[in-house]
Amino acid sequence: MVSTATRIGDFQFDNCLMNAAGVFCMTREELAQVESSAAGSFVTKTATLEARAGNPEPRYVNTDLGSINSMGLPNKGLDYYLDYVIEEQNRIGSKPHVLSLVGMSPDETHTILKKVQASDYQGLVELNLSCPNVPGKPQIAYDFETTDTILKEVFSYYTKPLGIKLPPYFDIVHFDQAAAIFNKYPLVFVNCVNSIGNGLVIEDETVVIKPKNGFGGLGGDYIKPTALANVHAFYKRLNPSIQIIGTGGVKTGRDAFEHILCGACMVQLGTVLQKEGTEAFDRITKELQAIMAEKGYETLDDFRGKLHYID
Ligand code: IRO
């Protein structure tokens, strides 16, 4: 009997697959669709304190190899998502969920997290330190000093389970420096990776999305090797109490298997979910189960993090 059940901190999930923030999570209706699918959980669209309309359209385009987006953090505001996850938390038989959020400034991030701290919500929170698409705002987690300052302040008042969504890093020294900062804090998880920021896709002679003259975050096949490298780099460097969520380029059971082999305890679907809908959870779960059965693995712990190197 093969199980794809998993846990993050004290939270148990029947399945290790869930949506990635940004896909199928803007409205209650979309979140309910993920909830009723084979997914083990859902994460909400990253919320700011107030609702935002985001960038002008077209702002999300699928390509043969993945996707490019510059949504610009459109969302219905913190209260919309916070109310929903509290409602869900109180519903008998519901799964544990993840509330994604970030402020438009460090001050706003603290205002938001203090609201969540004071609320009835007891579930997981993902602080998004890696949105690439708000004009004039850098990806926070590429600035190590600011990241350290924000986390230090956060953990002076926030006592509920918290993780962070990271951008991809591309240098071994950056893995070392980032991990040294994260290891100072009682993070429950890090999620590797957000989209590869500021790619450019062109059709004929023209960019395919309108914001930022076509520059946007890449997802899908383009980013799987980078995502796997980030999952494994942080798996090797972080305190064992900090778990890894793997996100990036997962469209088959084999891709999910590779993320887990690199150390992920949960795997998120972005581009494939946007392309295929929530049926993707069922298909990819079955493909992952078939690989596990063939290899004689019964649980994720039988192979999680056990990537083989060449001697
Ligand atoms: O443009 C977005 O809304 C967006 C966000 I907040 C993010 O974290 N990652 C992404 O690719 N797009």
Side-chain angles (χ1 to χ4, degrees), residues 21-22 26 45-47 52 54-55 59-60 68-75 100 102 128-134 165 194-197 216-219:
M26 184 74 83
K45 173 65 186 175
T46 301
R52 287 171 53 84
N55 292 337
R59 58 189 188 180
Y60 186 112
I68 184 167
N69 89 85
S70 184
M71 303 297 288
L73 206 31
N75 74 92
S100 174
V102 73
N128 186 350
L129 297 179
S130 47
C131 176
N133 298 330
V134 179
K165 180 78 172 273
N194 208 316
S195 53
I196 292 186
L218 302 177

Side-chain angles (χ1 to χ4, degrees), residues 151-163:
L151 291 176
K152 188 171 180 202
E153 175 77 18
V154 163
F155 285 109
S156 72
Y157 59 84
Y158 198 79
T159 59
K160 293 177 175 181
L162 183 77

